[in-house]
Amino acid sequence: MTTTTPQGASRDAAVAHFAARLRFETDPSDVAAALRGGAPGFVLVDSRGEEAWRQGRVPGAVHLPTGEIPARAAKLLDPAVPVVTYCWGPGCNGATRAALALARLGHEVREMIGGFEYWVREGFPVATDAGTSARPADPLTAPVGTPRGGAAPACGC
């Protein structure tokens, strides 16, 4: 395999690849929009450990660390309800490992790409035991000058 000359994929292979990614991945903006609607049609699972959970989490998320999925998933999750997993961020594959563990148990599952890092960077609410707050959106992740007010501005993609 050479790294200087990319090999093009066939049209069908490319369509299958990108369709699969969209089937198994979602992003913070889409999750936030679904949660704002009140009946998102999924359970959001924070797969990080206790210390990370206490530091901050997506409001309404269920805390189920990856290592505890085999023992606790049946008690916390309805197998008929789809699951979305998240972990720290794009530099962490914890949400991927959690999604795999849940899929092995028979759950329909998607991963929130960008994780908690991009949830926070996009200016969405963060819950802690002290309450809920939000930081201003990072201009590298959200349109500049658009008030968040709990609503995700359209990025145009």
Side-chain angles (χ1 to χ4, degrees):
M1 180 172 142
T2 176
T3 58
T4 57
T5 308
Q7 296 274 330
S10 72
R11 177 191 172 280
D12 291 343
V15 168
H17 170 77
F18 292 111
R21 285 190 62 188
L22 290 172
R23 182 171 174 213
F24 297 112
E25 296 175 352
T26 188
D27 62 42
S29 291
D30 289 343
V31 169
L35 293 173
R36 263 193 319 278
F42 61 84
V43 173
L44 185 61
V45 170
D46 184 322
S47 64
R48 300 172 303 151
E50 184 65 34
E51 187 174 333
W53 172 261
R54 284 194 313 267
Q55 183 176 325
R57 60 214 172 244
V58 176
V62 171
H63 187 218
L64 183 57
T66 301
E68 298 176 16
I69 288 173
R72 295 183 55 223
K75 295 173 191 153
L76 293 175
L77 304 173
D78 179 345
V81 177
V83 176
V84 173
T85 63
Y86 74 88
C87 197
W88 273 113
C92 173
N93 66 3
T96 305
R97 288 185 281 113
L100 176 59
L102 289 163
R104 285 180 170 153
L105 293 174
H107 292 271
E108 179 183 334
V109 63
R110 295 174 83 186
E111 176 183 0
M112 184 175 81
I113 60 172
F116 185 68
E117 175 187 349
Y118 275 74
W119 179 270
V120 174
R121 290 183 71 189
E122 291 186 30
F124 296 120
V126 173
T128 65
D129 292 344
T132 302
S133 63
R135 297 178 183 180
D138 180 332
L140 296 175
T141 65
V144 176
T146 306
R148 295 301 273 194
C155 69
C157 60

